[in-house]
Amino acid sequence: MSLSLQSGGTSSRALPHPSTSSGLAAPSEATTRPITTGTSVLGVKYNGGVMLAADTLCSYGSLAKYKNARRLLPVNSRTLVGASGEYSDLQSISDLLRRNALEDRCTADSLYEEETQSEECAKEVWSYLRAVMYNRRNKMNPLWNDVVVAGFKQNADGTTSDEPFLGVVDKIGTAYEDDILATGFGGYIALPLLREKYS
């Protein structure tokens, strides 16, 4: 066996062609377990808004590998996403949401931002991510993240509502809304304390 570089920049061991000696299948390209991970994301609804908080550390096992990793990402002017779990999968989710936002802008009725109401509200992004995570889980290739979506809901006429939205989607597609959310280790430590003090 030899080491080779595959398209897309990933390296893996090159196995012999399946028809040659042993009949082995091609190597799996799914993430089998998280390697470079970020931990807790906290979300809190308050009167007239919603807030997310996360640290910027990504760990490689017990090594603090990246000390300035952004895990809170804006989707559009209405929505903010934060995730714990595998950092490369968060980057994939970010790319996917950016592509969707660009497609929405390109297919809008107007070229001018002030005339378009096509931005997805936070609840639509949350619902879309639920479907993506569930689909990837069913393909046995999950995105190893718990994603918190925060922002504002949308009125029936397409304008932004003043009602805040806070929801979470986990790696298997389970999704729920709440006034206080936490992912990662913060779900065990911070969430009980926040619920006790929240009023």
Side-chain angles (χ1 to χ4, degrees), residues 84-134:
S84 60
E86 176 62 38
Y87 193 67
S88 64
D89 287 347
L90 172 59
Q91 291 171 327
S92 295
I93 290 169
S94 174
D95 291 343
L96 182 64
L97 292 174
R98 263 193 242 127
R99 279 195 305 265
N100 283 348
L102 179 62
E103 184 178 337
D104 285 348
R105 288 194 64 195
C106 289
T107 58
D109 291 336
S110 175
L111 297 175
Y112 304 105
E113 277 189 43
E114 57 273 0
E115 293 178 11
T116 61
Q117 298 291 332
S118 65
E119 282 187 338
E120 294 176 323
C121 70
K123 191 162 187 170
E124 289 172 333
V125 171
W126 173 74
S127 182
Y128 174 73
L129 285 175
R130 181 203 47 79
V132 167
M133 300 297 247
Y134 184 75

Side-chain angles (χ1 to χ4, degrees), residues 57-71:
L57 179 70
C58 278
S59 301
Y60 182 77
S62 61
L63 173 73
K65 188 168 185 177
Y66 302 113
K67 295 180 181 173
N68 195 16
R70 289 181 35 150
R71 294 188 300 118

Side-chain angles (χ1 to χ4, degrees), residues 67-84:
K67 295 180 181 173
N68 195 16
R70 289 181 35 150
R71 294 188 300 118
L72 299 179
L73 307 168
V75 175
N76 54 42
S77 63
R78 302 179 190 193
T79 308
L80 184 66
V81 170
S84 60

Side-chain angles (χ1 to χ4, degrees), residues 14-68:
L15 295 175
H17 193 271
S19 63
T20 56
S21 58
S22 64
L24 295 174
S28 173
E29 293 193 20
T31 304
T32 55
R33 61 188 171 95
I35 303 295
T36 304
T37 59
T39 184
S40 304
V41 175
L42 306 175
V44 178
K45 272 191 206 179
Y46 60 90
N47 189 15
V50 63
M51 176 181 67
L52 290 184
D55 63 343
T56 58
L57 179 70
C58 278
S59 301
Y60 182 77
S62 61
L63 173 73
K65 188 168 185 177
Y66 302 113
K67 295 180 181 173
N68 195 16

Side-chain angles (χ1 to χ4, degrees), residues 3-13 29:
L3 190 63
S4 69
L5 189 64
Q6 297 178 345
S7 63
T10 60
S11 62
S12 68
R13 295 202 176 266
E29 293 193 20

